[in-house]
Amino acid sequence: MNTPSAFYKQVLKLWHAPDLALIGQRRERRMRLLASLVLVLLGTIWGCFFMLRGAWGIVLSDVVLILCGLGVFVLTRRNQVRRANLLLFGVMIVVVVGMTLLLDPHTAAAPRATHLYLLPLAVAALMAFRDEPLWLRYGVSLLCFALFTGLAASAWSPVSGYGLPDEVRVVGSWVQGGAAMLLLFMLLHILQSDAAERSVLDRDLLAALRDEQFVLHYQPQLNSAGRVIGAEVLIRWQHPQRGLVPPIEFIGHAEKTGLIIPIGKWVLEQACTQLRIWKDDPLYRDIGLAVNISQNQFRQAAFVPDMLDLIAVHGIEAHRLELELTETLIVQDMEDLVRKMVALADHGVRFSLDDFGTGFSSLSHLKRLPLNTLKIDRSFISDVLTDASSETIVRTVIGLGQSMGMTVIAEGVETEAQQRFLASNGCVQFQGYLFSKPLPLQEFAAFVARQHG
Protein backbone atom coordinates (compact mmCIF):
# COMPACT_ATOMS: atom_id res chain seq x y z
CA MET A 1 0.00 0.00 0.00
CA ASN A 2 1.22 3.52 -0.76
CA THR A 3 2.49 5.48 2.20
CA PRO A 4 0.81 8.83 2.90
CA SER A 5 3.84 10.68 1.54
CA ALA A 6 3.90 8.56 -1.62
CA PHE A 7 0.23 9.13 -2.19
CA TYR A 8 0.72 12.83 -1.51
CA LYS A 9 3.41 13.05 -4.18
CA GLN A 10 1.43 10.96 -6.59
CA VAL A 11 -1.53 13.34 -6.55
CA LEU A 12 -2.04 16.94 -7.21
CA LYS A 13 -5.50 16.12 -6.16
CA LEU A 14 -8.94 17.30 -6.46
CA TRP A 15 -9.66 20.82 -5.67
CA HIS A 16 -12.48 20.03 -3.25
CA ALA A 17 -15.05 22.49 -4.31
CA PRO A 18 -16.50 22.55 -0.84
CA ASP A 19 -19.30 24.71 -1.71
CA LEU A 20 -17.67 26.22 -4.74
CA ALA A 21 -19.25 24.00 -7.36
CA LEU A 22 -22.63 24.33 -5.68
CA ILE A 23 -22.21 28.04 -5.01
CA GLY A 24 -21.11 28.59 -8.60
CA GLN A 25 -24.15 26.74 -9.93
CA ARG A 26 -26.50 28.73 -7.72
CA ARG A 27 -24.78 31.97 -8.70
CA GLU A 28 -25.09 31.21 -12.41
CA ARG A 29 -28.71 30.17 -11.93
CA ARG A 30 -29.52 33.48 -10.25
CA MET A 31 -27.72 35.37 -13.01
CA ARG A 32 -29.77 33.58 -15.69
CA LEU A 33 -33.01 34.27 -13.85
CA LEU A 34 -32.06 37.93 -13.48
CA ALA A 35 -31.05 38.15 -17.14
CA SER A 36 -34.37 36.63 -18.20
CA LEU A 37 -36.26 39.26 -16.19
CA VAL A 38 -34.09 42.00 -17.74
CA LEU A 39 -35.00 40.72 -21.21
CA VAL A 40 -38.70 40.85 -20.34
CA LEU A 41 -38.32 44.33 -18.84
CA LEU A 42 -36.33 45.72 -21.79
CA GLY A 43 -38.74 44.18 -24.27
CA THR A 44 -41.71 45.73 -22.47
CA ILE A 45 -40.16 49.20 -22.19
CA TRP A 46 -38.91 49.39 -25.78
CA GLY A 47 -42.08 47.79 -27.06
CA CYS A 48 -44.19 50.52 -25.45
CA PHE A 49 -41.81 53.22 -26.70
CA PHE A 50 -41.95 52.10 -30.34
CA MET A 51 -45.63 51.32 -30.15
CA LEU A 52 -46.24 55.01 -29.42
CA ARG A 53 -44.07 55.90 -32.42
CA GLY A 54 -45.92 53.44 -34.65
CA ALA A 55 -42.77 51.37 -35.39
CA TRP A 56 -44.61 48.07 -35.43
CA GLY A 57 -41.71 46.14 -36.93
CA ILE A 58 -39.56 46.89 -33.88
CA VAL A 59 -42.52 46.25 -31.58
CA LEU A 60 -42.69 42.74 -33.01
CA SER A 61 -39.00 42.23 -32.28
CA ASP A 62 -39.61 43.41 -28.70
CA VAL A 63 -42.38 40.82 -28.36
CA VAL A 64 -39.84 38.19 -29.44
CA LEU A 65 -37.46 39.59 -26.81
CA ILE A 66 -40.11 39.18 -24.11
CA LEU A 67 -40.87 35.61 -25.20
CA CYS A 68 -37.16 34.76 -25.17
CA GLY A 69 -36.86 36.13 -21.64
CA LEU A 70 -39.74 33.95 -20.53
CA GLY A 71 -38.15 30.99 -22.32
CA VAL A 72 -34.84 31.48 -20.48
CA PHE A 73 -36.74 31.69 -17.19
CA VAL A 74 -38.63 28.45 -17.84
CA LEU A 75 -35.54 26.56 -19.03
CA THR A 76 -33.58 27.72 -15.98
CA ARG A 77 -36.35 26.59 -13.65
CA ARG A 78 -36.24 23.19 -15.36
CA ASN A 79 -32.44 23.01 -14.98
CA GLN A 80 -31.91 22.83 -18.74
CA VAL A 81 -28.73 24.84 -18.43
CA ARG A 82 -27.28 24.54 -21.92
CA ARG A 83 -30.52 25.45 -23.67
CA ALA A 84 -31.09 28.37 -21.32
CA ASN A 85 -27.57 29.70 -21.91
CA LEU A 86 -27.76 29.30 -25.68
CA LEU A 87 -31.10 31.09 -25.81
CA LEU A 88 -29.95 33.82 -23.43
CA PHE A 89 -26.66 34.62 -25.16
CA GLY A 90 -28.14 34.25 -28.62
CA VAL A 91 -30.88 36.74 -27.83
CA MET A 92 -28.59 39.14 -25.98
CA ILE A 93 -26.11 39.25 -28.87
CA VAL A 94 -28.89 39.88 -31.38
CA VAL A 95 -30.43 42.56 -29.15
CA VAL A 96 -27.16 44.40 -28.56
CA VAL A 97 -26.19 44.32 -32.25
CA GLY A 98 -29.70 45.29 -33.35
CA MET A 99 -29.96 48.18 -30.90
CA THR A 100 -26.49 49.39 -31.89
CA LEU A 101 -27.30 49.42 -35.60
CA LEU A 102 -30.89 50.72 -35.40
CA LEU A 103 -31.11 52.92 -32.31
CA ASP A 104 -27.52 53.97 -31.70
CA PRO A 105 -25.98 55.09 -35.01
CA HIS A 106 -22.64 56.87 -34.87
CA THR A 107 -22.89 60.66 -35.24
CA ALA A 108 -20.51 63.56 -34.72
CA ALA A 109 -22.34 64.56 -31.54
CA ALA A 110 -22.87 61.12 -30.01
CA PRO A 111 -20.66 58.07 -30.64
CA ARG A 112 -22.01 54.55 -30.39
CA ALA A 113 -22.04 53.04 -26.92
CA THR A 114 -24.53 50.14 -26.94
CA HIS A 115 -21.94 47.81 -28.52
CA LEU A 116 -19.85 48.09 -25.32
CA TYR A 117 -22.18 45.50 -23.76
CA LEU A 118 -20.56 42.90 -26.01
CA LEU A 119 -17.44 43.02 -23.78
CA PRO A 120 -19.15 41.83 -20.57
CA LEU A 121 -21.16 39.38 -22.69
CA ALA A 122 -17.89 37.83 -23.92
CA VAL A 123 -16.62 37.39 -20.36
CA ALA A 124 -19.99 36.08 -19.17
CA ALA A 125 -19.94 33.48 -21.97
CA LEU A 126 -16.61 32.14 -20.70
CA MET A 127 -18.25 31.62 -17.31
CA ALA A 128 -21.61 30.28 -18.49
CA PHE A 129 -20.12 27.77 -20.96
CA ARG A 130 -17.14 26.76 -18.82
CA ASP A 131 -18.21 23.11 -18.76
CA GLU A 132 -19.12 22.95 -22.45
CA PRO A 133 -16.89 21.90 -25.37
CA LEU A 134 -14.11 24.35 -26.21
CA TRP A 135 -15.65 25.32 -29.55
CA LEU A 136 -18.81 26.46 -27.78
CA ARG A 137 -17.16 28.09 -24.80
CA TYR A 138 -14.67 30.13 -26.82
CA GLY A 139 -16.81 30.42 -29.94
CA VAL A 140 -19.46 32.57 -28.23
CA SER A 141 -16.83 34.80 -26.63
CA LEU A 142 -14.90 35.23 -29.88
CA LEU A 143 -18.13 36.07 -31.70
CA CYS A 144 -18.83 38.82 -29.16
CA PHE A 145 -15.32 40.24 -29.57
CA ALA A 146 -15.55 40.11 -33.38
CA LEU A 147 -18.91 41.91 -33.38
CA PHE A 148 -17.58 44.51 -30.94
CA THR A 149 -14.59 45.19 -33.18
CA GLY A 150 -16.78 45.52 -36.27
CA LEU A 151 -19.28 47.86 -34.64
CA ALA A 152 -16.57 49.98 -33.01
CA ALA A 153 -14.72 50.43 -36.32
CA SER A 154 -17.78 51.20 -38.45
CA ALA A 155 -20.56 53.79 -38.55
CA TRP A 156 -22.72 51.70 -40.88
CA SER A 157 -26.44 51.36 -40.20
CA PRO A 158 -28.88 49.34 -42.36
CA VAL A 159 -31.76 51.82 -42.06
CA SER A 160 -32.33 55.31 -40.80
CA GLY A 161 -35.16 56.96 -38.92
CA TYR A 162 -35.14 54.82 -35.77
CA GLY A 163 -32.17 56.42 -34.04
CA LEU A 164 -32.79 58.29 -30.80
CA PRO A 165 -32.19 62.08 -30.79
CA ASP A 166 -28.56 63.15 -30.30
CA GLU A 167 -29.36 65.09 -27.14
CA VAL A 168 -30.67 61.85 -25.59
CA ARG A 169 -27.80 59.76 -26.92
CA VAL A 170 -25.08 62.07 -25.61
CA VAL A 171 -26.22 61.38 -22.05
CA GLY A 172 -26.97 57.79 -22.99
CA SER A 173 -23.41 57.24 -24.21
CA TRP A 174 -22.08 58.03 -20.75
CA VAL A 175 -24.74 55.91 -19.08
CA GLN A 176 -24.30 52.98 -21.48
CA GLY A 177 -20.52 53.12 -21.26
CA GLY A 178 -20.56 53.29 -17.46
CA ALA A 179 -23.08 50.45 -17.15
CA ALA A 180 -21.16 48.21 -19.56
CA MET A 181 -17.86 48.83 -17.77
CA LEU A 182 -19.49 48.21 -14.39
CA LEU A 183 -20.81 44.87 -15.63
CA LEU A 184 -17.39 44.00 -17.01
CA PHE A 185 -15.74 44.88 -13.70
CA MET A 186 -18.24 42.76 -11.75
CA LEU A 187 -17.68 39.74 -13.99
CA LEU A 188 -13.91 40.07 -13.80
CA HIS A 189 -14.21 40.33 -10.02
CA ILE A 190 -16.21 37.09 -9.94
CA LEU A 191 -13.59 35.35 -12.06
CA GLN A 192 -10.81 36.60 -9.79
CA SER A 193 -12.72 35.54 -6.68
CA ASP A 194 -13.26 32.05 -8.10
CA ALA A 195 -9.55 31.74 -8.86
CA ALA A 196 -8.65 32.86 -5.34
CA GLU A 197 -11.08 30.35 -3.81
CA ARG A 198 -9.61 27.58 -5.94
CA SER A 199 -6.12 28.48 -4.79
CA VAL A 200 -7.15 28.26 -1.13
CA LEU A 201 -8.93 24.97 -1.75
CA ASP A 202 -5.93 23.56 -3.58
CA ARG A 203 -3.79 24.22 -0.52
CA ASP A 204 -6.43 22.67 1.74
CA LEU A 205 -6.57 19.53 -0.37
CA LEU A 206 -2.83 19.12 -0.48
CA ALA A 207 -2.85 19.43 3.29
CA ALA A 208 -5.64 16.84 3.41
CA LEU A 209 -3.50 14.41 1.45
CA ARG A 210 -0.42 15.07 3.53
CA ASP A 211 -2.28 14.81 6.85
CA GLU A 212 -4.50 11.85 5.88
CA GLN A 213 -7.76 13.76 6.24
CA PHE A 214 -9.67 11.51 3.83
CA VAL A 215 -11.62 8.68 5.43
CA LEU A 216 -13.92 5.92 4.25
CA HIS A 217 -17.41 5.22 5.49
CA TYR A 218 -19.29 1.97 4.91
CA GLN A 219 -23.04 1.67 4.31
CA PRO A 220 -24.22 -1.86 5.13
CA GLN A 221 -26.02 -4.03 2.57
CA LEU A 222 -28.29 -6.65 4.13
CA ASN A 223 -30.14 -9.72 2.93
CA SER A 224 -33.71 -10.67 3.78
CA ALA A 225 -32.53 -12.42 6.95
CA GLY A 226 -30.99 -9.19 8.25
CA ARG A 227 -27.39 -10.33 7.86
CA VAL A 228 -24.76 -8.00 6.46
CA ILE A 229 -23.54 -9.37 3.15
CA GLY A 230 -21.58 -6.34 2.03
CA ALA A 231 -21.11 -2.60 2.19
CA GLU A 232 -20.79 0.32 -0.19
CA VAL A 233 -17.58 2.27 0.35
CA LEU A 234 -18.03 6.05 0.45
CA ILE A 235 -15.28 8.68 0.77
CA ARG A 236 -15.43 11.63 3.17
CA TRP A 237 -13.10 14.53 3.88
CA GLN A 238 -12.46 15.19 7.57
CA HIS A 239 -11.62 18.87 7.23
CA PRO A 240 -9.97 20.39 10.35
CA GLN A 241 -12.21 23.49 10.25
CA ARG A 242 -15.28 22.49 8.27
CA GLY A 243 -15.75 19.06 9.79
CA LEU A 244 -16.90 16.09 7.74
CA VAL A 245 -17.30 17.11 4.11
CA PRO A 246 -19.55 14.84 1.97
CA PRO A 247 -18.44 13.66 -1.48
CA ILE A 248 -21.11 15.66 -3.31
CA GLU A 249 -19.06 18.76 -2.55
CA PHE A 250 -15.86 17.62 -4.25
CA ILE A 251 -16.31 14.54 -6.43
CA GLY A 252 -17.98 16.48 -9.26
CA HIS A 253 -15.02 18.79 -9.67
CA ALA A 254 -12.59 15.89 -9.39
CA GLU A 255 -14.39 14.22 -12.30
CA LYS A 256 -14.05 17.31 -14.47
CA THR A 257 -10.37 17.84 -13.76
CA GLY A 258 -9.29 14.19 -13.88
CA LEU A 259 -8.24 14.27 -10.23
CA ILE A 260 -10.76 11.54 -9.56
CA ILE A 261 -8.19 9.06 -10.87
CA PRO A 262 -5.77 9.23 -7.89
CA ILE A 263 -8.70 9.58 -5.51
CA GLY A 264 -10.31 6.46 -6.92
CA LYS A 265 -7.02 4.59 -6.76
CA TRP A 266 -6.67 5.48 -3.09
CA VAL A 267 -10.21 4.31 -2.34
CA LEU A 268 -9.61 0.99 -4.13
CA GLU A 269 -6.36 0.49 -2.26
CA GLN A 270 -8.02 1.16 1.09
CA ALA A 271 -10.88 -1.20 0.25
CA CYS A 272 -8.47 -4.00 -0.70
CA THR A 273 -6.50 -3.42 2.48
CA GLN A 274 -9.67 -3.74 4.55
CA LEU A 275 -10.73 -6.91 2.74
CA ARG A 276 -7.32 -8.40 3.52
CA ILE A 277 -7.74 -7.56 7.22
CA TRP A 278 -11.18 -9.19 7.27
CA LYS A 279 -10.04 -12.26 5.35
CA ASP A 280 -8.94 -14.15 8.47
CA ASP A 281 -11.85 -13.07 10.66
CA PRO A 282 -14.84 -15.46 10.56
CA LEU A 283 -17.24 -12.61 11.32
CA TYR A 284 -16.23 -10.51 8.30
CA ARG A 285 -14.59 -12.83 5.80
CA ASP A 286 -17.78 -13.26 3.75
CA ILE A 287 -18.53 -9.53 3.56
CA GLY A 288 -17.83 -7.88 0.21
CA LEU A 289 -17.14 -4.24 -0.55
CA ALA A 290 -18.65 -2.23 -3.41
CA VAL A 291 -16.56 0.65 -4.76
CA ASN A 292 -17.83 3.31 -7.17
CA ILE A 293 -15.69 3.63 -10.30
CA SER A 294 -15.68 6.86 -12.29
CA GLN A 295 -15.65 7.18 -16.06
CA ASN A 296 -12.20 8.75 -16.11
CA GLN A 297 -10.85 6.07 -13.84
CA PHE A 298 -12.21 3.15 -15.83
CA ARG A 299 -10.99 4.59 -19.13
CA GLN A 300 -7.36 4.49 -18.03
CA ALA A 301 -5.37 2.10 -20.21
CA ALA A 302 -3.75 0.51 -17.15
CA PHE A 303 -6.97 0.10 -15.16
CA VAL A 304 -7.18 -3.69 -15.58
CA PRO A 305 -3.53 -4.52 -14.76
CA ASP A 306 -3.59 -2.05 -11.86
CA MET A 307 -6.71 -3.74 -10.45
CA LEU A 308 -5.22 -7.20 -10.80
CA ASP A 309 -2.01 -6.02 -9.13
CA LEU A 310 -3.99 -4.64 -6.19
CA ILE A 311 -5.83 -7.94 -5.75
CA ALA A 312 -2.61 -9.94 -5.99
CA VAL A 313 -0.56 -7.72 -3.69
CA HIS A 314 -3.21 -7.76 -0.96
CA GLY A 315 -3.99 -11.44 -1.43
CA ILE A 316 -7.76 -11.00 -1.37
CA GLU A 317 -10.49 -13.05 -3.01
CA ALA A 318 -11.49 -11.10 -6.10
CA HIS A 319 -15.19 -11.95 -5.79
CA ARG A 320 -15.37 -9.95 -2.55
CA LEU A 321 -14.64 -6.78 -4.49
CA GLU A 322 -17.50 -5.30 -6.50
CA LEU A 323 -16.99 -2.39 -8.87
CA GLU A 324 -20.01 -0.12 -9.27
CA LEU A 325 -20.50 1.42 -12.71
CA THR A 326 -23.06 4.03 -13.76
CA GLU A 327 -25.34 3.94 -16.77
CA THR A 328 -23.57 6.98 -18.21
CA LEU A 329 -20.34 5.01 -18.38
CA ILE A 330 -21.76 2.04 -20.25
CA VAL A 331 -22.96 4.10 -23.20
CA GLN A 332 -19.58 5.73 -23.85
CA ASP A 333 -17.06 3.29 -25.38
CA MET A 334 -18.86 -0.03 -25.34
CA GLU A 335 -16.10 -2.14 -26.85
CA ASP A 336 -13.44 -0.91 -24.41
CA LEU A 337 -15.86 -1.32 -21.52
CA VAL A 338 -16.73 -4.91 -22.40
CA ARG A 339 -13.10 -5.85 -22.93
CA LYS A 340 -12.00 -4.52 -19.54
CA MET A 341 -14.99 -5.92 -17.67
CA VAL A 342 -14.53 -9.39 -19.14
CA ALA A 343 -10.82 -9.34 -18.31
CA LEU A 344 -11.55 -8.53 -14.67
CA ALA A 345 -14.60 -10.80 -14.42
CA ASP A 346 -12.44 -13.71 -15.62
CA HIS A 347 -10.37 -13.20 -12.46
CA GLY A 348 -13.46 -13.10 -10.24
CA VAL A 349 -14.12 -9.38 -9.86
CA ARG A 350 -17.82 -8.60 -9.61
CA PHE A 351 -19.68 -5.72 -11.25
CA SER A 352 -22.85 -3.86 -10.39
CA LEU A 353 -24.81 -1.29 -12.37
CA ASP A 354 -25.55 1.63 -10.07
CA ASP A 355 -28.71 3.79 -10.19
CA PHE A 356 -30.28 1.50 -12.78
CA GLY A 357 -33.20 3.08 -14.60
CA THR A 358 -32.03 6.71 -14.42
CA GLY A 359 -29.74 6.68 -17.48
CA PHE A 360 -29.74 5.41 -21.03
CA SER A 361 -28.73 1.78 -20.85
CA SER A 362 -30.69 -0.70 -22.91
CA LEU A 363 -31.19 -4.45 -22.87
CA SER A 364 -28.73 -4.76 -25.74
CA HIS A 365 -26.10 -3.20 -23.46
CA LEU A 366 -26.99 -5.27 -20.42
CA LYS A 367 -26.78 -8.61 -22.19
CA ARG A 368 -23.22 -7.89 -23.35
CA LEU A 369 -21.87 -6.95 -19.94
CA PRO A 370 -20.73 -9.42 -17.25
CA LEU A 371 -22.86 -7.77 -14.58
CA ASN A 372 -23.61 -9.47 -11.28
CA THR A 373 -25.87 -6.91 -9.63
CA LEU A 374 -28.49 -4.33 -10.56
CA LYS A 375 -29.03 -1.53 -8.06
CA ILE A 376 -32.47 0.08 -8.08
CA ASP A 377 -32.06 3.84 -7.75
CA ARG A 378 -33.29 5.46 -4.55
CA SER A 379 -35.47 7.89 -6.54
CA PHE A 380 -37.77 4.99 -7.45
CA ILE A 381 -37.71 3.47 -3.97
CA SER A 382 -38.65 6.74 -2.25
CA ASP A 383 -42.10 6.89 -3.87
CA VAL A 384 -42.64 3.28 -4.83
CA LEU A 385 -45.68 3.13 -2.53
CA THR A 386 -47.30 6.29 -3.83
CA ASP A 387 -46.39 6.51 -7.52
CA ALA A 388 -47.67 3.92 -10.00
CA SER A 389 -44.84 4.56 -12.46
CA SER A 390 -42.16 3.99 -9.82
CA GLU A 391 -43.92 0.84 -8.69
CA THR A 392 -43.97 -0.49 -12.25
CA ILE A 393 -40.30 0.37 -12.79
CA VAL A 394 -39.25 -1.35 -9.57
CA ARG A 395 -41.21 -4.51 -10.40
CA THR A 396 -39.73 -4.52 -13.91
CA VAL A 397 -36.14 -4.10 -12.70
CA ILE A 398 -36.52 -6.89 -10.18
CA GLY A 399 -37.99 -9.21 -12.81
CA LEU A 400 -35.34 -8.22 -15.35
CA GLY A 401 -32.50 -8.86 -12.94
CA GLN A 402 -33.88 -12.25 -11.92
CA SER A 403 -34.43 -13.32 -15.52
CA MET A 404 -30.84 -12.40 -16.40
CA GLY A 405 -29.41 -14.21 -13.38
CA MET A 406 -28.40 -11.05 -11.52
CA THR A 407 -28.75 -10.04 -7.91
CA VAL A 408 -31.02 -7.03 -7.38
CA ILE A 409 -30.37 -4.65 -4.51
CA ALA A 410 -32.56 -1.69 -3.59
CA GLU A 411 -30.87 1.55 -2.54
CA GLY A 412 -32.39 4.18 -0.30
CA VAL A 413 -34.76 1.93 1.64
CA GLU A 414 -36.07 4.09 4.47
CA THR A 415 -39.29 2.46 5.72
CA GLU A 416 -40.42 -1.01 6.64
CA ALA A 417 -43.31 -0.67 4.21
CA GLN A 418 -40.85 -0.14 1.36
CA GLN A 419 -38.88 -3.19 2.43
CA ARG A 420 -42.01 -5.33 2.61
CA PHE A 421 -43.05 -4.23 -0.87
CA LEU A 422 -39.60 -5.02 -2.26
CA ALA A 423 -39.41 -8.39 -0.53
CA SER A 424 -42.88 -9.36 -1.74
CA ASN A 425 -41.74 -8.67 -5.31
CA GLY A 426 -38.58 -10.76 -5.07
CA CYS A 427 -35.91 -8.25 -4.03
CA VAL A 428 -33.87 -9.81 -1.24
CA GLN A 429 -31.00 -7.35 -0.72
CA PHE A 430 -31.35 -3.87 0.74
CA GLN A 431 -29.37 -0.75 1.52
CA GLY A 432 -30.63 2.41 3.17
CA TYR A 433 -31.26 4.43 6.29
CA LEU A 434 -33.87 1.95 7.52
CA PHE A 435 -30.92 -0.25 8.41
CA SER A 436 -28.01 2.16 8.75
CA LYS A 437 -26.45 5.34 7.46
CA PRO A 438 -22.85 5.16 6.13
CA LEU A 439 -20.65 4.41 9.13
CA PRO A 440 -17.01 4.88 10.06
CA LEU A 441 -15.08 1.61 10.14
CA GLN A 442 -15.36 0.95 13.89
CA GLU A 443 -19.09 1.68 13.96
CA PHE A 444 -19.60 -0.52 10.90
CA ALA A 445 -17.76 -3.36 12.63
CA ALA A 446 -19.98 -2.94 15.68
CA PHE A 447 -23.08 -2.95 13.45
CA VAL A 448 -21.99 -6.22 11.85
CA ALA A 449 -21.36 -7.75 15.26
CA ARG A 450 -24.88 -6.77 16.44
CA GLN A 451 -26.57 -8.09 13.29
CA HIS A 452 -24.71 -11.39 13.41
CA GLY A 453 -24.80 -11.77 17.17
Side-chain angles (χ1 to χ4, degrees):
M1 181 177 68
N2 289 348
T3 63
S5 60
F7 183 56
Y8 174 75
K9 293 176 182 177
Q10 173 187 12
V11 188
L12 181 102
K13 204 166 174 173
L14 91 159
W15 155 86
H16 157 101
D19 298 340
L20 194 56
L22 299 177
I23 289 175
Q25 292 171 8
R26 288 195 292 267
R27 177 192 293 156
E28 291 177 8
R29 178 183 175 87
R30 286 195 294 268
M31 289 175 65
R32 280 192 300 274
L33 290 173
L34 178 60
S36 68
L37 295 177
V38 169
L39 287 178
V40 173
L41 182 61
L42 285 176
T44 302
I45 292 174
W46 285 113
C48 293
F49 176 82
F50 285 106
M51 188 183 299
L52 295 175
R53 298 185 64 176
W56 297 105
I58 296 184
V59 170
L60 180 60
S61 67
D62 289 321
V63 171
V64 174
L65 186 65
I66 295 171
L67 294 177
C68 288
L70 295 174
V72 171
F73 183 86
V74 172
L75 290 173
T76 299
R77 295 284 294 177
R78 293 180 178 178
N79 290 321
Q80 298 183 26
V81 176
R82 173 182 284 190
R83 292 183 178 181
N85 283 333
L86 287 173
L87 180 59
L88 173 61
F89 280 89
V91 170
M92 290 300 292
I93 291 172
V94 171
V95 167
V96 171
V97 172
M99 290 178 64
T100 302
L101 293 175
L102 298 177
L103 305 179
D104 196 17
H106 179 81
T107 65
R112 281 176 169 168
T114 308
H115 67 294
L116 293 174
Y117 287 109
L118 290 169
L119 294 178
L121 268 180
V123 176
L126 289 174
M127 299 169 59
F129 295 105
R130 71 178 69 191
D131 298 325
E132 301 292 347
L134 292 179
W135 67 266
L136 180 56
R137 180 183 184 188
Y138 293 110
V140 176
S141 293
L142 291 174
L143 175 62
C144 291
F145 283 125
L147 291 170
F148 170 82
T149 302
L151 292 171
S154 170
W156 177 78
S157 180
V159 294
S160 60
Y162 292 117
L164 296 174
D166 279 353
E167 58 270 20
V168 175
R169 292 181 55 250
V170 168
V171 178
S173 295
W174 288 96
V175 175
Q176 299 270 60
M181 293 306 103
L182 179 61
L183 283 173
L184 181 60
F185 173 79
M186 292 173 60
L187 291 169
L188 291 175
H189 173 71
I190 292 173
L191 285 175
Q192 188 274 335
S193 299
D194 284 351
E197 289 174 5
R198 287 188 181 95
S199 178
V200 172
L201 291 168
D202 282 338
R203 292 197 298 270
D204 281 355
L205 272 179
L206 291 174
L209 294 171
R210 182 186 63 238
D211 300 336
E212 298 183 271
Q213 294 174 6
F214 289 102
V215 296
L216 295 183
H217 283 197
Y218 303 79
Q219 185 165 32
Q221 298 170 335
L222 292 82
N223 61 17
S224 55
R227 296 184 64 83
V228 180
I229 46 96
E232 181 176 0
V233 178
L234 302 165
I235 190 172
R236 301 288 189 268
W237 181 7
Q238 187 65 56
H239 193 282
Q241 282 80 45
R242 301 182 62 239
L244 199 63
V245 179
I248 191 174
E249 296 189 8
F250 60 86
I251 291 300
H253 178 77
E255 288 276 9
K256 295 174 185 176
T257 60
L259 295 171
I260 192 66
I261 295 170
I263 296 173
K265 184 174 182 180
W266 179 82
V267 173
L268 280 170
E269 193 163 283
Q270 297 300 310
C272 290
T273 300
Q274 194 57 54
L275 287 174
R276 178 63 188 88
I277 294 172
W278 288 342
K279 183 177 180 180
D280 300 322
D281 189 326
L283 187 61
Y284 305 102
R285 63 186 176 194
D286 294 327
I287 292 177
L289 291 179
V291 179
N292 292 280
I293 304 297
S294 75
Q295 296 183 42
N296 291 337
Q297 190 178 0
F298 201 87
R299 288 173 184 163
Q300 295 299 298
F303 182 77
V304 172
D306 285 350
M307 278 299 313
L308 297 179
D309 285 345
L310 272 178
I311 292 170
V313 167
H314 290 84
I316 62 172
E317 298 162 323
H319 70 268
R320 295 177 62 202
L321 182 64
E322 184 171 88
L323 305 184
E324 291 194 4
L325 309 178
T326 63
E327 290 197 68
T328 306
L329 174 59
I330 72 171
V331 297
Q332 300 291 326
D333 187 346
M334 193 65 180
E335 297 305 320
D336 181 65
L337 179 70
V338 172
R339 178 178 58 80
K340 289 178 178 177
M341 289 181 67
V342 169
L344 290 172
D346 287 344
H347 287 80
V349 178
R350 297 173 58 84
F351 288 93
S352 64
L353 184 56
D354 197 14
D355 300 339
F356 182 71
T358 61
F360 307 98
S361 60
S362 65
L363 294 180
S364 62
H365 289 140
L366 292 183
K367 71 179 183 180
R368 296 185 60 190
L369 302 175
L371 291 167
N372 305 98
T373 305
L374 288 182
K375 300 189 76 174
I376 308 175
D377 185 62
R378 66 183 67 247
S379 62
F380 300 125
I381 302 301
S382 63
D383 56 2
V384 69
L385 301 177
T386 57
D387 181 75
S389 296
S390 293
E391 178 182 344
T392 301
I393 290 172
V394 170
R395 292 181 190 273
T396 302
V397 172
I398 295 173
L400 175 64
Q402 291 174 338
S403 66
M404 299 183 72
M406 301 181 197
T407 300
V408 178
I409 182 169
E411 288 187 300
V413 181
E414 297 184 352
T415 68
E416 293 182 357
Q418 291 172 349
Q419 184 190 13
R420 286 195 297 270
F421 171 84
L422 292 164
S424 66
N425 283 276
C427 180
V428 295
Q429 293 189 8
F430 315 95
Q431 175 182 339
Y433 275 49
L434 174 62
F435 313 100
S436 173
K437 65 180 182 180
L439 300 170
L441 179 60
Q442 290 185 344
E443 293 182 25
F444 174 77
F447 179 86
V448 174
R450 288 196 303 272
Q451 294 297 118
H452 293 190

